[in-house]
Amino acid sequence: MTTNRHGSGTVEFPSDLEIVVTREFEAPIGLVFDVFTKPEHVRRTIAPFGEEVTVCSIDLRVGGDYRFVFVTDEGVECAFRGTYMEVEPPTRTVATWLFEGWPDAEAVETMALREAGEVTTLTWTLAFRDQAGRDHMTGFDGVQANFDNIEDHLRSLRSEEHAVSR
């Protein structure tokens, strides 16, 4: 098992309006899906740099809403929200995406998971409605840090699972 794959996601730009990040996690697909979609896990992973999470609400069904809010050390509130358009456990979700700090940057977020052996590959796509919205997204350190948090959380869950099974 690899001990640290932080930053191992690849970022691609298949069009002017799309961002695609691909990342592998050494965990079964069902567990990866749960960590991305269940509040008890998302609350521990959504804030990319350890910020305080103040809201973590997920209604995981078509037409259900989600909202995440975390507060930086400087007191800046970062809020994300959307509505699920497709939910296909454990392989896919599609939802609207809006960072409330950029009200003109609406997008559609797709999370697709594929399992091969002991590895689950995430393909995360953010497709913006227009160029004005896409122009806001200039850095990916927060996205990569969020995926690092997920990797660390998955590793801790697998360690706990392994310890219990002994």
Side-chain angles (χ1 to χ4, degrees), residues 84-96:
Y84 289 100
M85 301 159 55
E86 296 177 37
V87 177
E88 300 171 19
T91 59
R92 178 177 166 90
T93 62
V94 178
T96 59

Side-chain angles (χ1 to χ4, degrees), residues 2-79:
T2 303
T3 57
N4 185 343
R5 294 158 58 133
H6 285 186
S8 64
T10 59
V11 180
E12 298 175 289
F13 307 93
S15 75
D16 289 344
L17 301 180
E18 289 180 293
I19 301 162
V20 177
V21 179
T22 305
R23 176 93 178 232
E24 292 182 342
F25 298 100
E26 292 181 8
I29 193 170
L31 182 59
V32 175
F33 187 85
D34 286 352
V35 167
F36 271 93
T37 60
K38 290 188 173 182
E40 64 267 26
H41 299 298
V42 174
R43 180 174 285 287
R44 296 178 64 183
T45 61
I46 194 67
F49 305 109
E51 299 88 349
E52 178 190 2
V53 177
T54 57
V55 176
C56 181
S57 171
I58 300 172
D59 182 5
L60 188 63
R61 62 180 175 83
V62 173
D65 295 325
Y66 72 86
R67 187 160 188 261
F68 312 125
V69 180
F70 51 88
V71 181
T72 69
D73 291 341
E74 296 77 30
V76 176
E77 187 175 90
C78 299

Side-chain angles (χ1 to χ4, degrees), residues 66-131:
Y66 72 86
R67 187 160 188 261
F68 312 125
V69 180
F70 51 88
V71 181
T72 69
D73 291 341
E74 296 77 30
V76 176
E77 187 175 90
C78 299
F80 296 84
R81 64 180 162 85
T83 302
Y84 289 100
M85 301 159 55
E86 296 177 37
V87 177
E88 300 171 19
T91 59
R92 178 177 166 90
T93 62
V94 178
T96 59
W97 178 94
L98 180 68
F99 171 55
E100 292 178 3
W102 304 332
D104 63 339
E106 290 182 32
V108 172
E109 175 184 48
T110 302
M111 176 192 71
L113 299 173
R114 181 177 33 82
E115 184 178 49
E118 294 289 315
V119 175
T120 298
T121 301
L122 161 72
T123 303
W124 179 81
T125 304
L126 205 53
F128 287 88
R129 178 180 61 190
D130 56 33
Q131 192 64 49

